[in-house]
Amino acid sequence: MAYEIDGMNISYDYEELITELKSDVAEGLLDTSSIINIVREPDPKLKGVNYIPIVDYYCSNALIELTEPLEVLYNRDEYTDEEWEDMEKERRQILKKYRQDEPFFEKATVLAVLTEMEQWNKVF
């Protein structure tokens, strides 16, 4: 669904996020009734329609997984020291972003999020 402002069709490109969320559903990590935390970020191109697009989402158990010691999730012996350090570094970065996004979380079902994104999913 595109929205028209001053004769221009306005929409938002959600292809990547839709694919990612549908993949999580297909893998059984989520189902359409699961509650997820979404993050929105204003886009100046959408100011005229008062729409703030979804830019990311987190599963409700993301914080638990991000704070578990890696040893609980992975067998340390299967990785080199460099690989392990890279995994730890990536995890710290993801946790930092989570903490930055957390105050702005909006809860919604997977179905509601997919429906919204599919309605807006078009390239400007």
Side-chain angles (χ1 to χ4, degrees):
M1 174 187 309
Y3 294 88
E4 190 173 314
I5 300 176
D6 297 328
M8 292 180 59
N9 286 330
I10 304 294
S11 57
Y12 194 78
D13 183 5
Y14 276 122
E15 278 304 315
E16 188 175 322
L17 208 51
I18 289 170
T19 300
E20 184 179 329
L21 190 50
K22 284 184 175 181
S23 174
D24 286 348
V25 170
E27 291 176 27
L29 301 173
L30 298 167
D31 62 48
T32 56
S33 63
S34 297
I35 303 293
I36 57 174
N37 297 306
I38 60 171
V39 180
R40 294 180 183 273
E41 190 174 293
D43 185 323
K45 295 175 183 173
L46 298 174
K47 190 175 183 179
V49 292
N50 291 326
Y51 178 68
I52 302 173
I54 299 165
V55 294
D56 207 353
Y57 72 91
Y58 295 91
C59 299
S60 58
N61 62 348
L63 183 59
I64 294 168
E65 291 179 9
L66 288 171
T67 55
E68 283 278 356
L70 278 183
E71 290 83 358
V72 172
L73 303 171
Y74 303 102
N75 182 353
R76 174 68 176 95
D77 295 333
E78 294 178 9
Y79 300 91
T80 66
D81 288 342
E82 184 178 320
E83 289 171 329
W84 194 257
E85 285 182 32
D86 288 345
M87 288 168 47
E88 286 280 9
K89 181 180 176 182
E90 180 181 359
R91 200 171 144 103
R92 283 191 302 272
Q93 291 170 340
I94 293 169
L95 181 58
K96 181 180 177 182
K97 175 140 177 36
Y98 180 96
R99 293 290 191 202
Q100 289 171 340
D101 290 342
E102 191 174 22
F104 307 104
F105 282 172
E106 180 182 317
K107 293 190 179 305
T109 64
V110 169
L111 181 60
V113 172
L114 282 171
T115 300
E116 177 182 330
M117 291 191 302
E118 287 171 344
Q119 286 176 340
W120 280 89
N121 189 37
K122 300 271 186 224
V123 179
F124 287 102

